[in-house]
Amino acid sequence: MSQDKVRMSRWAAIAVGMIAAPALAQGFTPPVGYGARSNSATQPCVALVADLSAPNLTCIPLAEAAKLFKTDPSYPNADQQHLKVVGAYSLNLRASERLTGAKSPGFLPVQLQLSGGQCFSLSAEYYGKLSEARLTPTVCDGRRYDDDQVVSQPAGKPLRLVGSAWGYGAWVDDKAGTTIVTAPRSQTFKPLFTAHMPVTAIMAMNSPDAPLGNVTLVGQLHGKPVVIVLEVSF
């Protein structure tokens, strides 16, 4: 199946989900590089008009963010493995604030909760890469989207599960300061890639008919909270 057909079929599946669950799907972002706009390269990384009540977003250059990730060479079908950073952002919080939570039913938009009790929705346009990212105030809610189907940790590995979504698991090695993300659709602990930063939350969305997906990681980098969105195959 061609990449365009994969994207179209995935977008059709999401459209069905929007009709079935409009409360969750409102403003939902199409997966894996929905390529409907030809001039995506001219779009700013962050929206020019920002909400003054929201923290400032700073773009992390994609090439710089890509250095944080490494695919696992022992992964089966490694020649077909794909990992690409499509968006990376740093949140500039006030000294008294900290990020206390992040969640999404898919991979975008992401609801970010601050220690002061405020929540903001991080959304972006997605045409091959993310652009015009923005934070807007949103109502904090108690919904959870964790995936309960997580494989067991292998014996002898000092790993801590920090989250799961759409079959992916995020396992932090506190001593090394790294995070292993395990592959979905697997019955065993199967590392897909490693992030060279501690992760605090993971969100994702997979294609219904191809081994492709988008993974969003929230973590800490250089003392600031960051949100990084990846395009992966598994």
Side-chain angles (χ1 to χ4, degrees):
M1 181 181 293
S2 70
Q3 185 70 12
D4 287 343
K5 288 183 178 179
V6 168
R7 291 171 178 167
M8 289 177 66
S9 64
R10 301 182 82 190
W11 178 233
I14 292 174
V16 172
M18 286 183 174
I19 295 171
L24 295 182
Q26 184 176 4
F28 210 72
T29 304
V32 183
Y34 179 64
R37 183 185 294 177
S38 60
N39 62 341
S40 59
T42 66
Q43 303 305 310
C45 178
V46 172
L48 298 179
V49 179
D51 189 294
L52 296 180
S53 68
N56 289 328
L57 278 177
T58 299
C59 289
I60 302 173
L62 299 185
E64 180 180 331
K67 296 176 183 178
L68 298 169
F69 299 94
K70 183 179 180 180
T71 56
D72 193 303
S74 64
Y75 186 80
N77 301 322
D79 57 329
Q80 299 177 20
Q81 201 174 5
H82 167 78
L83 188 150
K84 175 185 176 184
V85 177
V86 295
Y89 304 96
S90 175
L91 277 72
N92 303 304
L93 303 180
R94 290 186 284 268
S96 60
E97 290 180 328
R98 59 188 180 89
L99 183 64
T100 59
K103 62 183 181 180
S104 174
F107 74 101
L108 279 181
V110 175
Q111 184 182 108
L112 302 172
Q113 184 164 2
L114 304 185
S115 55
Q118 290 179 295
C119 285
F120 295 90
S121 177
L122 171 61
S123 58
E125 304 301 322
Y126 188 8
Y127 303 97
K129 64 179 181 179
L130 300 189
S131 61
E132 299 182 275
R134 53 207 172 270
L135 285 171
T136 53
T138 189
V139 176
C140 300
D141 62 62
R143 289 180 292 183
R144 297 180 62 87
Y145 305 106
D146 291 334
D147 186 345
D148 294 332
Q149 297 181 353
V150 181
V151 298
S152 299
Q153 174 185 346
K157 283 188 176 290
L159 301 177
R160 176 171 54 90
L161 181 68
V162 295
S164 55
W166 282 71
Y168 301 89
W171 302 80
V172 170
D173 184 331
D174 291 305
K175 184 176 181 180
T178 58
T179 303
I180 294 175
V181 174
T182 52
R185 304 179 187 175
S186 175
Q187 301 300 313
T188 59
F189 188 91
K190 186 183 294 184
L192 182 63
F193 63 86
T194 297
H196 290 273
M197 68 176 189
V199 166
T200 57
I202 182 172
M203 290 139 280
M205 187 174 194
N206 290 329
S207 167
D209 56 6
L212 302 168
N214 288 102
V215 176
T216 299
L217 300 177
V218 178
Q220 287 281 331
L221 188 64
H222 307 312
K224 290 186 177 183
V226 295
V227 180
I228 300 178
V229 182
L230 304 114
E231 179 181 302
V232 303
S233 64
F234 51 87

